[in-house]
Amino acid sequence: MIKELSDLGKTLRSQKADDEWVHDALKPEPINVELIITSDGSFQKFNLIEKKQTISEAITAKKGKARLLLDKAEEVLCYGGEKSKSKHELFLKKLDAYQSLPELAPVISFYNSNKTKGADMALQSYVEAIPEEKNRKGNIGFRIQSEGIRIHEKPEVLQKIIDNYETAQKELMEGSKKKCSICGQAKYPVEDIPHGMIKRVPSGQSSGCALVSYNDTAFESYALQGNENSSICTNCAKTYVEGLNWLLSAGNEIVIRTKKGKDKTSYRYTNRKNFGSDTAIVFWTRGNKALSEIDQLEAPNPDDVNKLLESVSLGKEKDSRYVEADQFYSCTLSGSAARIAVRDWIETSLFDFRKSIAQWFKDIAIMEYDSSLKALKTRYVGLYNLARSSQNVTNDKDVSLSRTASYLWNAAIKKTVPPLWLLTKVLQRSRMDEYGVTAERASLIKLILNRNNKGGGFMVTEKIEEGLKPVAYVCGQIFAKLESIQFAALGISSIRERYFTYAMTLPAAAFGRLFNLHSKHFTKLKNEKPGLAINMDKELQELCKDVDIKSFPATFSLEEQGQFAIGYYHQRQRQFNTSNKN
Ligand SMILES: [Zn+2]
């Protein structure tokens, strides 16, 4: 996974224009305040500029380090008194290392020969000049009053940073000839330094999380220290961090129209999906191509799904753009304080990826009555809505929704079998929730039943079954029929609320009671609407022909409960259709 992330980082670097290129020794950083001095190092004023980006020395970790000429007030001014002293000293030590640069002369006077009019005065004026506490938290950079460029941005200064970096790398390489476990080369050193922070990981620290880190000697071996244990060279470390940061943030602003007809802008990620509040999935291909199939998983459009199914089933994919040997990757991440938990890693060919998605749509397809078309039509439910249908979602912090969505993502992309506990969950929601067996739930039940069906069992199709059907399925149909007869007779239907769970789990006992109730409903209906009563009874008798109603099983297994729910769902969709036609 790290190798693929690093390769992605390298691809992104190669795609950058020359003027966008930033050397490994440098890094963009925000700057908040300019400290204006004269060329003899006298303090002039502070200039609040509020978080502009600037280029400066790249330092791999903040702790125990100071950045050349650009840092916080503690480092630059010794702001905060005694407790900032060690930070300030680090800053001065860094300046010392670069003192041969003529560009630094004014700053060196500011701290040394001209200290009273320089650094001391700056510290005295600081709080008054920057009254708001929050503005005192950003970086401060030096600028000579008469110049338009900040000192740390001068080409000579940047070049010196690069030279020092490269010399240090060479020295490290001479010290050890260790091969990198990612690129297999000994071109860059393997060092015990942080690899860089991964930003925007859900539930992670806002300052970023580490993908690889060793915080305890228990994780170390062969006398290696910290990140040396990972054997990742500095170049691969940088590129995997860049690759992963890009995946987590890439996207663009789009304008969406709200239900009230207002336009609002929203950020659309191109390579990331958020599942719940604590999980994100990032995905990409080796060639870094856009993948329309992923959008289909989230919000399927029946026409596009049909095109996909057709091209895969006809073997047309041979002519398609996927014939090239591209690979698909995805990893599922959660933040865990300063770390990242990798929940899943998927690597598959683009060819298999596409076949899996096509199979996914076949498995989740379900017929639904569409009241605007007044007809049954195939519905494809979005992946996240499928996951949601199995949950009692009371708040966004509920992690079981994101876990379920992650399982389904794996099932969609790798054609894996969803676990049976998910069937328990969705059946529970079908029984407890006022909307009962919705299209989303029926679709999820169908997927789980069919993928768990190993060898010759009953396969659920998207619409009502004809021919040989399992008893549980027919029982579900009969239940739907009894419910509609009750509704025709009384104008209400309460049997689902009261008997659905009972009928689904203990059919023999439940249907005894249900048929008793039914005879009362039927008598009433026959007196009031004899025509309707005869028709409905005929339909019920048709269904009862398929089973022996005198000897229903005492219990239904979990899978049978699933079949019951599907039979019930299919029958109801058919009834909506016929009753509206009549
Ligand atoms: Zn490497």
Side-chain angles (χ1 to χ4, degrees), residues 537-557:
D537 189 53
K538 218 170 88 192
E539 286 157 11
L540 180 64
Q541 296 316 319
E542 277 296 307
L543 290 171
C544 291
K545 250 181 20 204
D546 293 335
V547 284
D548 182 359
I549 56 165
K550 295 271 172 351
S551 60
F552 275 178
T555 57
F556 279 145
S557 68

Side-chain angles (χ1 to χ4, degrees), residues 180 183 233 236:
C180 165
C183 62
C233 76
C236 290

Side-chain angles (χ1 to χ4, degrees), residues 6 10 179-185 187-188 190 231-237:
S6 164
K10 285 167 191 160
K179 274 192 182 162
C180 165
S181 61
I182 303 294
C183 62
Q185 294 177 336
K187 250 170 90 181
Y188 298 89
V190 175
S231 294
I232 298 174
C233 76
T234 52
N235 185 256
C236 290

